[in-house]
Amino acid sequence: MIPVCRLVDLPAGESVRLDTTPPVAVFNADGELFAIDDTCSHQDASLSEGWLEGCLVECPLHAASFDLRTGRPTCLPARKPVRTHEVHVADGMIHVRLAADAGATGEGSAA
Amino acid sequence: MRAITVVGASLAGLYAARELRAQGFDGRLTVVGAEPHQPYDRPPLSKDFLMGAGDEGELGQLDQLALTDPEEMAELRAEWILGTRARALDVRGRTVVLDDGRTLASDGVVVATGARARRLPGPPLAGVHTLRGLDDALALRAELTRGPRRVVVIGGGFIGAETASSCVALGHDVTVVEAAPLPLAAQLGPELAPVCAGLHARGGARLLTGVGVAGLVGAGSGALSAVRAVELADGRSLPADVVVVGIGATPNTGWLAGSSLAVADGILCDDGCATALPQVVAVGDVARVGGVRAEHWTSATEQPRVAVRNLLAGRTVEAARPLPYFWSDQYGSRIQFAGRRGDGDTVRILEGSPEALGEGGFLAVYERAGRTTAALAVDRARSFMKVRRGLAAQENQAHQVNQAKEYV
């Protein structure tokens, strides 16, 4: 489990990037927490810097959009999913459990 | 329409094929491509791909460039004729003639033939490259991996700057020659163009501005002599092992000679990508839409939706009004620009500072009469995105107002 930050430090609509390998982005989508691989599967861009709307995040470089619940792209230019990771909150701290498989499948579960 | 031919199998051509199927075209779809490759993405060619980044090897890298996959190829139900150029379009725009003599009878044609790199006059020399397609990038990359070289990049535009940046990262000695007093001044304006010039200096490339190239000097024997130096208009000579020519591109319209399409630095189209023939539309780098030819990745991906809609309707029912947007990665910094900057616009820095680029970049907007016309960001993707969305909303609103006026 990787500590992310305190829950109060990630208000709704905000995101934070974890400097893991590969980097992971954690989002607070209207109160629900999600973690996905931070790098857009289309080209090198940080999804934590993207536009969050509901459970979708739009890549800041080419406007590919991903569903935070599944990691699947919902529009072009991305065609491959990003991995999702488990998020847990304990004692007011957010933690992320990285998906075990290194290969991106997009089938992981979201918290 | 029963048969539609898309001429050009790059970004815009693929997006046109996708749109045709997405918008319900159920007939025979043929896509013709001059290159032997399936559609691939070009922006990485001057960046990660050129540097051979990643440990997945060349095949993995080619896979990263692929714009489509076997599943989608099957869904598109198109016939792909790759490695073959179109030679002509008949005067009514109904038949596409290929280089191998084949003819494709078509009820509709999407022209997406793109543009080719402009070259310097003179005989070809070994070591001189342009960078536009995959084969260009493979050839240049092969040369750059043979140990430290003296590289001269001619042209300080985006391709030139990105290539120079990649060459520096590979450990080469790099000089960029730009004929204008400042690179990218036309795109970014005189206030902010110096930022990009500063990136070269910070990154470790020499930048020579305000001087043209008189010619290339070659030496050696064999079939092809090798480049030795770049001679400048002011008499200076720059020793060079590798020369990259990045001086712009020419739209591929030669094959349309003899058709009735009007060509002037691109195929002339109305605001909806329609040519003078209602059954022929044009998209991407080759298209001059409503007076503007935009060589941008986003134009190539956004125009096909409107172009296909108008093609299937048989007349222009919708205008293509994408907000101009481009980005560039140089020396570890990401530059993003959106909007329509005009000369005389006022520049306002909203975040960070152009003087302190290493410390988090900056966000600037261009303003005219109290309205934001464009935005430029270096390493500020998140806040840039908000401004870009605002600009797009403003543009849509203005467009709707204009349309309403037309009906009054």
Side-chain angles (χ1 to χ4, degrees):
Chain A
M1 295 281 267
I2 299 169
V4 180
C5 64
R6 294 189 308 162
L7 183 57
V8 290
D9 292 333
L10 190 68
E14 289 299 317
S15 57
V16 61
R17 182 178 182 274
L18 296 185
D19 214 4
T20 46
T21 312
V24 165
V26 184
F27 298 87
N28 183 336
D30 303 328
E32 218 177 334
L33 300 175
F34 297 98
I36 60 171
D37 277 353
D38 182 51
T39 307
C40 178
S41 66
H42 166 242
Q43 255 172 45
D44 188 13
S46 169
L47 293 175
S48 71
E49 296 182 333
W51 183 267
L52 189 58
E53 209 161 296
C55 279
L56 302 181
V57 63
E58 183 185 314
C59 171
L61 195 55
H62 302 141
S65 175
F66 293 88
D67 189 323
L68 297 176
R69 295 164 295 192
T70 62
R72 288 204 182 87
T74 60
C75 76
L76 293 167
R79 293 186 55 78
K80 294 173 194 149
V82 291
R83 288 188 306 168
T84 58
H85 307 280
E86 275 180 60
V87 186
H88 296 282
V89 178
D91 299 330
M93 273 295 292
I94 303 172
H95 290 83
V96 165
R97 185 193 300 278
L98 294 185
D101 62 312
T105 65
E107 299 294 341
S109 63
Chain B
M1 287 199 181
R2 285 174 305 179
I4 295 181
T5 302
V6 177
V7 189
S10 193
L11 187 66
L14 172 66
Y15 271 68
R18 284 171 173 166
E19 282 298 334
L20 281 162
R21 289 307 189 209
Q23 295 185 32
F25 172 67
D26 202 30
R28 190 159 61 85
L29 173 57
T30 311
V31 185
V32 180
E35 291 180 70
H37 314 291
Q38 286 195 353
Y40 61 88
D41 216 10
R42 278 191 305 219
L45 293 180
S46 53
K47 308 170 194 137
D48 287 354
F49 186 82
L50 196 58
M51 292 191 277
D55 49 13
E56 65 271 45
E58 189 173 304
L59 275 180
Q61 273 205 297
L62 290 175
D63 188 49
Q64 266 294 307
L65 293 180
L67 282 169
T68 180
D69 55 32
E71 191 186 332
E72 189 194 25
M73 290 293 265
E75 281 170 17
L76 284 175
R77 291 176 291 116
E79 184 193 353
W80 295 79
I81 304 178
L82 300 175
T84 307
R85 283 173 194 282
R87 190 169 68 195
L89 180 69
D90 75 339
V91 70
R92 288 166 58 239
R94 300 274 192 200
T95 306
V96 177
V97 184
L98 304 185
D99 243 359
D100 58 14
R102 266 186 289 181
T103 57
L104 300 169
S106 314
D107 304 309
V109 173
V110 181
V111 180
T113 42
R116 63 187 180 280
R118 203 175 287 145
R119 291 163 193 278
L120 290 173
L125 295 171
V128 178
H129 297 261
T130 53
L131 183 49
R132 180 137 191 113
L134 178 54
D135 296 337
D136 297 337
L138 286 169
L140 179 57
R141 189 165 84 164
E143 189 145 31
L144 292 173
T145 48
R146 275 193 249 135
R149 298 299 175 100
R150 291 166 301 179
V151 180
V152 175
V153 177
I154 301 174
F158 289 117
I159 290 289
E162 290 177 358
T163 306
S165 163
S166 298
C167 287
V168 168
L170 288 166
H172 301 292
D173 174 83
V174 181
T175 306
V176 178
V177 182
E178 167 61 47
L182 208 54
L184 299 171
Q187 290 90 341
L188 307 183
E191 296 90 350
L192 293 175
V195 171
C196 285
L199 286 177
H200 289 287
R202 197 189 64 160
R206 270 181 304 280
L207 173 65
L208 305 179
T209 58
V211 61
V213 168
L216 303 178
V217 181
S221 54
L224 200 60
S225 68
V227 70
R228 283 283 170 266
V230 175
E231 294 211 318
L232 301 182
D234 62 8
R236 276 181 291 178
S237 178
L238 305 173
D241 307 307
V242 176
V243 172
V244 182
V245 181
I247 54 172
T250 312
N252 289 321
T253 54
W255 68 285
L256 295 169
S259 75
S260 49
L261 298 184
V263 169
D265 185 37
I267 300 166
L268 300 190
C269 304
D270 67 8
D271 289 343
C273 301
T275 69
L277 296 169
Q279 69 277 18
V280 180
V281 295
V283 289
D285 290 4
V286 76
R288 179 169 289 279
V289 180
V292 179
R293 194 169 68 81
E295 288 181 13
H296 297 322
W297 186 94
T298 31
S299 314
T301 61
E302 291 175 355
Q303 287 169 349
R305 187 186 60 77
V306 171
V308 162
R309 178 145 191 253
N310 295 333
L311 177 67
L312 295 178
R315 64 192 173 89
T316 297
V317 291
E318 190 179 337
R321 299 280 305 167
L323 182 77
Y325 165 64
F326 57 80
W327 80 95
S328 177
D329 292 336
Q330 302 170 20
Y331 305 103
S333 284
R334 173 158 287 164
I335 300 159
Q336 291 175 286
F337 180 96
R340 301 173 199 277
R341 189 195 68 83
D343 285 337
D345 286 1
T346 316
V347 170
R348 192 154 62 93
I349 309 293
L350 297 186
E351 290 178 15
S353 162
E355 278 80 42
L357 271 185
E359 295 142 38
F362 71 93
L363 170 68
V365 289
Y366 301 82
E367 293 172 330
R368 171 172 295 248
R371 282 170 71 88
T372 305
T373 56
L376 172 71
V378 177
D379 298 329
R380 292 270 170 164
R382 189 180 200 145
S383 27
F384 174 81
M385 192 172 202
K386 287 178 191 156
V387 180
R388 183 184 167 194
R389 289 178 79 100
L391 279 168
Q394 179 183 301
E395 178 120 338
N396 277 340
Q397 210 171 25
H399 183 50
Q400 277 162 13
V401 169
N402 283 338
Q403 273 198 324
K405 275 182 193 157
E406 282 169 25
Y407 295 114
V408 169

